[in-house]
Amino acid sequence: MSPGPHDPQSDYLPGKKSRPQKDWSLWERLWEKHGTPLMVGASVVFVIAAAYLVTEVQRNAGSSLAALSLAQAEELRQLSLKKEAEFESQRLNKAVIDDGDLALLGEAVQAQQDYLTSRGALASENVRLETMRRRYHVIQAERQRSISTEAEGKATAIAKSDPAGAIVELRRAVEAERLIESRWFFSGYADVGKIARLDTRLRRLEAEPLRAQTQALEAQAEVAFTAGRLDEAVKGMGEAIETEQAFVGKYRDVLDTEFARVERLSIRQETMRSHPLYLQTVAAEAAAAEAIKGYAKAISGAAQEAQATLAVQAFERALLAQAQLKQEFPRSAWATVARETAFAKQRNRWRSAGSLQDVETRAQTMAKYLRAGQAAEALDLARALREKLTRVEAENPGVVPPEDAMRRQLEYIVTHAATIQVILPKLDQLVAPVAGSSIRMMKQEISQGFYSTVMGANPSASMRENLPVESVAYADALAFCEALGWMCGRPIRLPTVAEYKAAMGDLALPPGAKNAWTFDNTDGVSARPVGSSQPTGAGYFDLLGNVEEWAQAEATDDFASVVGGSVNWVPVSGLPLRKALKREKSRTIGFRIVIE
């Protein structure tokens, strides 16, 4: 029997003994206890060393002066006295002292300073030094102030005629004032406010050419753009932007510029760059306009459909060009959502041209049914047309928005079906013909009940169904006419002043008490129920008195006539008539309507 396999050799290799880890806890405790004082001490030593190095030169100079003998120090004092005396002599003998004379006083100050340094600070001699030094600084400062004043005066005189020369003079003035501040400070003449004022004037003059330059560059770019030199215009506008940026960066604090001018110029430059694409949209719009003209002239349905297709294709091209313009030049003034929306709406409009034309044609049939009193047929057709418009809007968004006139009319007719069935048979009974015309006028004022039925609300201040509606503005009366016209399929409007006069007949005498509610037979405030007075021979009630009535006016006018007087009118002969703002609402103003 053979022996079994040998045991595998062990892979274990005995390693070296691990080194003992250092105990850092002791160092951490020491640092925690003494670290902060050590850092503070090191900082103090560093500051002292730096101060020592910085003042070494002064200390060496002071040491050399301190080593002078008493005789040498006295020589310095005598030199100072001598130089001061020489200066005083020159000052007495001359009307104007020069630089050489001032040098004598400067030497006297320096000699006295050296003397004090060699002997230490002597109070009596310090007073002399401070006096001489201040005197020296005052004289120097006065000379610089004279230069500053002279230069400023010259700059003021030539600022308009010679701006460049004024800039040179103002620089002299600023330099002189800054010299007083930095060198001759013991004079007490330093004027920070004056330096700031002169500097502002200087920088304003320096800024003006730069501002004029950027404006000129912009104007030149616009001229090039108008002339069709697009590359030149874009380059010129870029130069204008760079110049404006330099101006704003350096001079914005001293000279006003147009707010966000850099932004405006940048937008204008991008607008110029987008001009070729903009022209593509313009060309597409022009092609669409021609197709729309062709649609209007077309006789057959096929010809109209062909022109509508051309219009759709043109607006598609406009949309593509506009989308590219927005993507490549998003900051262009022409990269607007409004333009894109308008193109899309027009494209959708002409996509659905056939459906819209059909709705318009059938709406005329609906109006015929209403005029004939065939309410059921009209309502069925209105429901069908409303459904069709709803589908058109779903397929082509924006074509039939909520404010669309046809949509509003159909919505109103469908939602007021019951009211229409009641009003249609009775409407002819409520009107009477006006002599000498083809119109018919409402026999009585519009009552609150009638107004509420048509409009769904009653704005009157004093509410009662059979009282005339009041507190209505001119626009409210027009809205009522529009809604009632939808109901009956006829044009309805307010009467004109001439139609009122024709309906009233002879006005040579005041109305009788039974024919009109006026101040004579009422409290002058409260209106009476409509139709409660005696009618005229033509069958009209309250053409005079009760409430004033709005008369038809031009759409662009702010005023309209109100006629007939009210319960606070004192009856006299003639037609009561006044002008009122169309927005006026009064508890004594109502209206009536005419049917054409």
Side-chain angles (χ1 to χ4, degrees):
M1 184 174 181
S2 62
H6 298 291
D7 292 333
Q9 186 175 358
S10 174
D11 291 333
Y12 173 76
L13 295 177
K16 297 180 181 180
K17 292 184 178 180
S18 301
R19 294 181 179 179
Q21 297 292 324
K22 288 185 178 181
D23 184 6
W24 292 100
S25 59
L26 175 61
W27 295 101
E28 291 175 353
R29 288 196 301 273
L30 289 173
W31 177 255
E32 182 177 354
K33 185 175 182 180
H34 302 291
T36 301
L38 286 172
M39 291 182 65
V40 172
S43 300
V44 171
V45 170
F46 176 78
V47 171
I48 293 173
Y52 178 84
L53 293 174
V54 169
T55 60
E56 184 176 8
V57 175
Q58 290 87 340
R59 286 186 288 102
N60 289 338
S63 298
S64 62
L65 289 173
L68 295 177
S69 64
L70 291 175
Q72 290 173 323
E74 181 61 23
E75 287 178 4
L76 288 174
R77 191 175 75 84
Q78 292 299 325
L79 177 62
S80 173
L81 292 170
K82 177 183 176 183
K83 294 295 182 181
E84 183 182 10
E86 290 177 2
F87 170 75
E88 292 296 345
S89 175
Q90 293 295 331
R91 191 174 188 185
L92 291 174
N93 294 329
K94 290 184 177 181
V96 179
I97 58 176
D98 55 24
D99 291 340
D101 302 329
L102 278 175
L104 294 173
L105 185 57
E107 291 173 8
V109 171
Q110 186 61 49
Q112 183 67 11
Q113 177 70 51
D114 293 343
Y115 167 73
L116 290 174
T117 303
S118 67
R119 303 307 299 162
L122 301 177
S124 60
E125 298 296 343
N126 274 333
V127 172
R128 179 171 177 269
L129 172 62
E130 292 301 322
T131 302
M132 278 198 305
R133 183 161 53 190
R134 186 176 188 284
R135 188 178 182 189
Y136 180 53
H137 279 230
V138 166
I139 294 172
Q140 291 284 19
E142 286 177 344
R143 296 183 73 191
Q144 295 301 321
R145 179 59 50 79
S146 176
I147 294 172
S148 170
T149 303
E150 178 191 5
E152 183 181 7
K154 288 183 179 179
T156 301
I158 64 174
K160 293 184 178 180
S161 60
D162 184 12
I167 289 173
V168 172
E169 294 299 330
L170 283 174
R171 284 175 180 166
R172 283 182 58 219
V174 170
E175 183 180 356
E177 290 294 334
R178 284 179 175 163
L179 192 60
I180 294 173
E181 180 189 32
S182 62
R183 187 171 179 182
W184 311 120
F185 42 84
F186 284 115
S187 67
Y189 280 25
D191 189 342
V192 178
K194 185 172 184 179
I195 293 174
R197 178 172 57 80
L198 289 172
D199 185 64
T200 298
R201 288 187 62 190
L202 171 62
R203 296 178 68 229
R204 280 179 179 170
L205 285 175
E206 291 175 338
E208 190 59 45
L210 201 59
R211 181 170 70 171
Q213 182 183 1
T214 185
Q215 292 173 344
L217 287 169
E218 180 187 4
Q220 292 168 8
E222 291 293 349
V223 169
F225 180 71
T226 303
R229 302 191 300 273
L230 186 58
D231 292 341
E232 179 183 340
V234 171
K235 180 181 178 182
M237 195 60 70
E239 293 174 355
I241 292 170
E242 292 177 0
T243 308
E244 181 69 16
Q245 287 173 333
F247 169 80
V248 171
K250 191 173 182 181
Y251 298 113
R252 180 63 183 271
D253 60 324
V254 296
L255 196 63
D256 290 337
T257 185
E258 177 186 336
F259 180 74
R261 177 172 165 78
V262 172
E263 177 71 9
R264 183 181 67 77
L265 293 176
S266 299
I267 291 173
R268 184 57 180 156
Q269 184 186 43
E270 187 143 326
T271 301
M272 290 177 174
R273 287 175 174 157
S274 68
H275 189 61
L277 286 172
Y278 170 74
L279 290 180
Q280 291 183 29
T281 66
V282 171
E285 282 186 284
E290 288 298 318
I292 293 170
K293 289 180 181 178
Y295 181 91
K297 295 177 181 179
I299 299 175
S300 66
Q304 287 183 330
E305 184 177 353
Q307 293 298 322
T309 301
L310 290 176
V312 169
Q313 293 171 350
F315 283 119
E316 287 283 5
R317 293 196 300 273
L319 276 169
L320 288 173
Q322 183 67 18
Q324 185 179 354
L325 190 153
K326 281 182 61 181
Q327 182 178 3
E328 296 181 8
F329 307 102
R331 301 180 68 201
S332 169
W334 293 314
T336 63
V337 175
R339 283 176 57 80
E340 190 173 23
T341 302
F343 292 150
K345 184 176 179 180
Q346 286 295 321
R347 177 202 59 190
N348 293 347
R349 160 71 179 83
W350 291 101
R351 274 181 181 172
S352 55
S355 297
L356 295 176
Q357 182 65 43
D358 179 62
V359 170
E360 185 175 343
T361 301
R362 295 170 68 190
Q364 295 174 3
T365 302
M366 178 190 68
K368 290 180 181 179
Y369 285 148
L370 290 171
R371 289 195 294 272
Q374 297 174 271
E377 292 83 350
L379 291 171
D380 288 341
L381 188 52
R383 294 186 187 97
L385 294 179
R386 184 181 69 166
E387 291 176 4
K388 187 165 187 175
L389 281 186
T390 301
R391 289 195 301 271
V392 168
E393 175 62 21
E395 295 169 0
N396 299 282
V399 172
V400 192
E403 64 273 14
D404 179 77
M406 181 61 70
R407 178 174 174 176
R408 288 173 55 237
Q409 179 181 356
L410 293 174
E411 290 283 355
Y412 182 87
I413 290 173
V414 171
T415 55
H416 289 75
T419 303
I420 291 173
Q421 290 176 332
V422 172
I423 287 179
L424 277 183
K426 297 181 178 180
L427 190 59
D428 288 339
Q429 303 170 19
L430 301 176
V431 295
V434 176
S437 69
S438 60
I439 66 167
R440 293 177 295 165
M441 183 184 290
M442 196 85 173
K443 294 179 181 178
Q444 58 194 31
E445 298 149 328
I446 301 298
S447 69
Q448 295 181 24
F450 193 11
Y451 187 92
S452 299
T453 298
V454 174
M455 302 303 294
N458 183 4
S460 302
S462 179
M463 291 191 180
R464 188 175 169 186
E465 289 287 301
N466 63 350
L467 291 179
V469 67
E470 30 88 356
S471 301
V472 285
Y474 183 84
D476 299 325
L478 292 186
F480 178 90
C481 293
E482 181 182 48
L484 186 59
W486 290 340
M487 282 186 173
C488 64
R490 302 171 187 270
I492 292 181
R493 58 174 174 80
L494 296 173
T496 65
V497 173
E499 289 165 348
Y500 269 110
K501 290 180 178 179
M504 290 177 185
D506 186 11
L507 296 173
L509 297 174
K514 295 182 179 181
N515 297 108
W517 297 113
T518 66
F519 189 80
D520 287 350
N521 56 4
T522 68
D523 59 5
V525 176
S526 303
R528 296 296 188 265
V530 298
S532 59
S533 64
Q534 288 189 359
T536 65
Y540 296 109
F541 296 86
D542 300 316
L543 285 174
L544 294 172
N546 212 16
V547 292
E548 296 175 300
E549 300 175 21
W550 287 111
Q552 186 77 9
E554 294 293 333
T556 55
D557 290 347
D558 293 328
F559 290 83
S561 296
V562 286
V563 300
S566 66
V567 290
N568 63 10
W569 171 60
V570 177
V572 293
S573 61
L575 175 66
L577 175 68
R578 70 180 180 90
K579 288 285 187 179
L581 281 168
K582 288 182 176 179
R583 65 173 180 268
E584 181 178 335
K585 293 184 178 183
S586 168
R587 63 185 301 170
T588 60
I589 298 181
F591 68 97
R592 71 180 71 209
I593 55 94
V594 295
I595 300 177
E596 294 183 344

